[in-house]
Amino acid sequence: MRHKLGTTNPYIRTRALHWIAEEEMKVAPKVILLFRDPTGFGTAIFHALQPNPNSNHQSRRESLDLSLQRYGIKHQNVSIDVVHFLDGSNLEGFSETADLPTKIEVSLLLLENYEPPTLACALNEVLALLAGDGLSNMPTIVAPFVVAATKLKMESRTSVAVDNISVYGLQVGASSGLTKALFTNLQSPPPSLQIFNQQLACLLQLVRVLKMPTFVIIGKKGQNFHHETSEEELEVIHEIGQHLASFSSLLFSGEKIAWDAPKSSRETQEPWRALYG
């Protein structure tokens, strides 16, 4: 699917506003959103982010299943693995129900890999729960992606210096202190950039509609699709991991990364355009 920076889709706007959830997911003010994509990148990052041994962080794990019946999808739920990193100090008398939201500092969410049209429905359901009533305490989402260079198109007049950049940062939706801080540390993509990645394009449109403070980190992967991950690709993954660790006060365990790019990608198929236009 193609997404050009700055564009929106009326159909997604209608669906997103219609399905605002009545309850709010208990997460930290900082949320790292990952997808269990076929390459294994999201899963690798999910396991590589660990409590810093110099901190008081403790982790709490949970799994969530959200129904998609109101979208007409009756036999498939949204499956999410969640890790909350809590301030481990002063936990005497700690109540999971009452005190958890005030103690969580960072939340990691790992979503299953969905294909359109389920993708838009599943992602919209998760974002609506995170947004809550949309009036206060909306978390900031940081979503890292690694995208093949062939899936990132920009105008030919773009400079060679921009072509050589391996990691971009994109602020989307409302701004927050975190998105502003990340924006100063990463190069913005050129306005002409077009993205041919289903999960990323769908996320960009939905967070704009919901006005959620979001920062997307886009790592550009080389064009080879061999089983062994190249040194250049590992450097991109490690750079993304370090950016995630720097704002979350977590430890990025690079040795846990064992990410193998597949020989082929389902994204090379004709994109499904009925929902996105």
Side-chain angles (χ1 to χ4, degrees):
M1 179 219 316
R2 181 179 67 183
H3 178 87
K4 186 167 184 178
L5 299 183
T7 61
T8 57
N9 184 292
Y11 184 81
I12 286 190
R13 183 184 301 115
T14 302
R15 296 288 290 186
L17 293 180
H18 182 69
W19 294 123
I20 293 294
E22 294 181 357
E23 55 182 310
E24 186 176 354
M25 186 184 295
K26 294 178 180 178
V27 294
K30 304 172 184 177
V31 174
I32 299 175
L33 180 63
L34 300 158
F35 290 87
R36 200 185 295 274
D37 57 288
T39 68
F41 166 75
T43 303
I45 293 292
F46 185 78
H47 292 295
L49 289 171
Q50 300 290 327
N52 193 313
N54 297 322
S55 72
N56 291 321
H57 281 150
Q58 295 187 15
S59 62
R60 295 284 193 280
R61 294 180 178 268
E62 62 177 316
S63 296
L64 301 175
D65 285 301
L66 307 177
S67 173
L68 293 175
Q69 289 193 23
R70 58 184 178 182
Y71 301 91
I73 302 174
K74 299 181 180 180
H75 304 295
Q76 188 174 15
N77 292 334
V78 183
S79 297
I80 314 170
D81 289 335
V82 184
V83 177
H84 301 297
F85 293 95
L86 290 71
D87 177 3
S89 60
N90 300 320
L91 287 182
E92 184 177 353
F94 174 79
S95 167
E96 288 280 352
T97 302
D99 300 328
L100 183 62
T102 64
K103 283 287 186 178
I104 306 176
E105 295 188 351
V106 186
S107 295
L108 271 62
L109 273 62
L110 180 64
L111 278 64
E112 289 295 331
N113 187 57
Y114 299 98
E115 295 294 325
T118 307
L119 170 62
C121 302
L123 187 54
N124 184 66
E125 190 72 9
V126 173
L127 293 177
L129 280 175
L130 292 174
D133 58 16
L135 300 177
S136 61
N137 299 323
M138 190 179 291
T140 295
I141 297 173
V142 179
F145 290 85
V146 168
V147 183
T150 55
K151 303 298 180 182
L152 298 173
K153 304 290 186 181
M154 59 189 72
E155 294 179 3
S156 58
R157 66 173 180 266
T158 301
S159 68
V160 174
V162 172
D163 288 339
N164 290 334
I165 294 172
S166 57
V167 179
Y168 293 107
L170 177 63
Q171 184 175 326
V172 195
S175 64
S176 68
L178 177 56
T179 62
K180 292 177 181 177
L182 288 170
F183 183 75
T184 62
N185 293 327
L186 283 163
Q187 174 71 42
S188 297
S192 63
L193 179 68
Q194 295 184 3
I195 301 167
F196 293 79
N197 177 283
Q198 292 175 343
Q199 287 87 357
L200 177 50
C202 183
L203 175 67
L204 290 176
Q205 293 210 42
L206 287 173
V207 295
R208 282 193 175 106
V209 172
L210 294 168
K211 296 181 174 60
M212 298 190 70
T214 303
F215 195 87
V216 177
I217 301 175
I218 305 171
K220 186 169 64 174
K221 185 169 70 68
Q223 298 185 21
N224 73 75
F225 285 93
H226 302 297
H227 274 301
E228 292 187 4
T229 308
S230 70
E231 182 177 346
E232 179 183 355
E233 290 166 356
L234 285 174
E235 289 178 359
V236 171
I237 298 169
H238 279 251
E239 182 177 348
I240 292 174
Q242 293 301 330
H243 282 296
L244 296 173
S246 66
F247 80 82
S248 63
S249 299
L250 298 176
L251 173 69
F252 177 70
S253 301
E255 66 274 8
K256 293 181 178 291
I257 294 293
W259 180 59
D260 292 330
K263 287 184 177 180
S264 62
S265 171
R266 297 189 65 176
E267 291 182 0
T268 59
Q269 302 173 5
E270 181 66 22
W272 184 87
R273 300 180 181 277
L275 181 58
Y276 305 100

